[in-house]
Amino acid sequence: MRSSLSFKFLLLAFLIFSCLGAASLGAHEVLYPAPGNHALARDYSKFSNGDEGDFDDRHKTYFVALSYLNGNDLLGMSRDPKKAAEYFAKAWDEGVVDAGYTLGLLYLKGSGVDEDVDKGKWFLEDSASKGLLKSQQILADAYRGKALEGVFQPDPQEAIRWLRAAAESGSQQACVDLAAMYKDGHNVEKNKEKAFEWLRKAEDSIYQDGFSHLQMAAYYEKGIGTDKSLVQAYKYYDLSGSAGIKDKQRIAKEMTQEQIDEALRQSKEWQKEHDVQIGGGSIRQTN
């Protein structure tokens, strides 16, 4: 009988622990995933003007932290790094993953808190592992020697790790950077097929911040990591607007009129699908 009760007690304890663990994991959330922070600027402006109805306590804590970090004249709050750090820490404890990025930088710089490099790195890496694109990007740059110099030692494998994480989070620039690394064999084994795959992924990334149609056109024209296709090259040069005119004129000499017409048809279809209009809608044949 006692054995049965002990088993039931252990099972109950396990279930409670599991539920608490799941709740804790579920509490963590990236409030503003987009790197441009347009949504953050909009919401922070509403909060600063006294419109708090749409925001929960976590948002408010985060906004107060931002107000102390930069100062907020509308709310009569002066810049106070120490209070900013306190509220960012509170926001982090409430599950706001976004706060990890700023806490990481505050600890690295010793602003509002005692300088603690290890703690600063931890906040950046933990928020990055929880999906915060800003932290993923700065870690990728830091390990490539392009940010936070003197704090992070260059580490190609860590750089690639965080670039891939940023790419999976929707960063177009991270995809483009990975494509360039595989194309040139920079810190990775040269692989033109992977370079092309990452560039293709960049085209459909959530956050459009680094893709160039000219790059894709060149890959198709030269057959880099994919079959050579002048139709596809012409399409992407056309999608480049005025920047691609000379290249269209150049490769048109090697194409039939049917091929050019097909390239233009695909270009129009792409624009329709992506709800954009290149060159004011004027797409001309060049031969």
Side-chain angles (χ1 to χ4, degrees):
M1 181 69 175
R2 175 173 292 183
S3 176
S4 177
L5 288 174
S6 298
F7 174 78
K8 289 180 179 179
F9 175 81
L10 290 172
L11 178 60
L12 179 61
F14 173 77
L15 290 173
I16 293 173
F17 177 80
S18 298
C19 290
L20 288 174
S24 176
L25 289 173
H28 290 94
E29 180 185 359
V30 176
L31 300 182
Y32 297 99
N37 284 330
H38 300 302
L40 171 58
R42 177 200 65 214
D43 288 353
Y44 183 58
S45 177
K46 290 173 65 177
F47 174 81
S48 298
N49 283 284
D51 185 4
E52 302 182 15
D54 295 336
F55 308 120
D56 59 22
D57 289 341
R58 295 188 302 171
H59 281 82
K60 293 175 184 177
T61 301
Y62 187 56
F63 293 153
V64 170
L66 290 173
S67 297
Y68 279 124
L69 182 69
N70 302 306
N72 190 322
D73 293 336
L74 289 173
L75 296 177
M77 298 171 67
S78 300
R79 184 177 180 276
D80 189 328
K82 184 175 181 179
K83 285 186 177 179
E86 291 173 358
Y87 274 94
F88 277 120
K90 185 174 186 292
W92 176 263
D93 290 340
E94 291 174 353
V96 180
V97 178
D98 312 53
Y101 174 82
T102 310
L103 281 169
L105 297 182
L106 290 176
Y107 275 106
L108 290 179
K109 297 175 182 177
S111 177
V113 292
D114 292 334
E115 182 177 330
D116 189 327
V117 172
D118 289 337
K119 187 173 285 189
K121 288 181 176 180
W122 183 88
F123 273 114
L124 288 178
E125 293 189 354
D126 200 44
S127 58
S129 69
K130 287 179 168 63
L132 187 62
L133 180 53
K134 287 198 301 183
S135 293
Q136 293 166 349
Q137 289 176 320
I138 199 170
L139 285 172
D141 287 341
Y143 282 117
R144 288 191 292 171
K146 296 184 176 183
L148 304 177
E149 296 179 20
V151 178
F152 288 81
Q153 295 298 316
D155 186 327
Q157 294 307 311
E158 283 296 290
I160 293 169
R161 172 193 173 196
W162 291 116
L163 270 178
R164 284 177 174 158
E168 294 300 331
S169 293
S171 170
Q172 195 175 62
Q173 186 60 59
C175 292
V176 171
D177 289 347
L178 283 166
M181 292 173 72
Y182 279 108
K183 177 177 175 288
D184 300 330
H186 182 64
N187 290 327
V188 293
E189 185 176 349
K190 184 182 291 189
N191 188 319
K192 293 182 179 180
E193 286 73 23
K194 282 189 177 181
F196 178 75
E197 287 175 11
W198 280 112
L199 200 60
R200 283 298 300 269
K201 189 176 180 66
E203 183 178 14
D204 297 320
S205 294
I206 300 171
Y207 307 120
Q208 307 287 303
D209 58 358
F211 179 73
S212 169
H213 293 295
L214 290 173
Q215 290 175 299
M216 186 64 84
Y219 271 58
Y220 274 117
E221 182 183 354
K222 299 173 184 177
I224 300 174
T226 187
D227 293 334
K228 180 177 179 179
S229 172
L230 292 182
V231 169
Q232 290 298 314
Y234 195 101
K235 165 191 167 183
Y236 282 101
Y237 282 133
D238 190 67
L239 289 171
S240 301
S242 59
I245 290 177
K246 289 184 178 180
D247 290 302
K248 286 195 297 181
Q249 292 172 336
R250 175 175 52 77
I251 68 171
K253 298 174 183 178
E254 305 175 41
M255 300 172 67
T256 66
Q257 186 63 48
E258 289 75 16
Q259 288 176 317
I260 293 174
D261 290 342
E262 175 60 19
L264 291 174
R265 185 193 68 76
Q266 291 187 25
S267 175
K268 289 179 181 179
E269 188 66 27
W270 191 98
Q271 293 175 64
K272 182 179 179 181
E273 181 182 340
H274 291 78
D275 195 26
V276 297
Q277 194 173 59
I278 308 298
S282 176
I283 304 176
R284 298 173 299 169
Q285 298 179 8
T286 59
N287 69 340

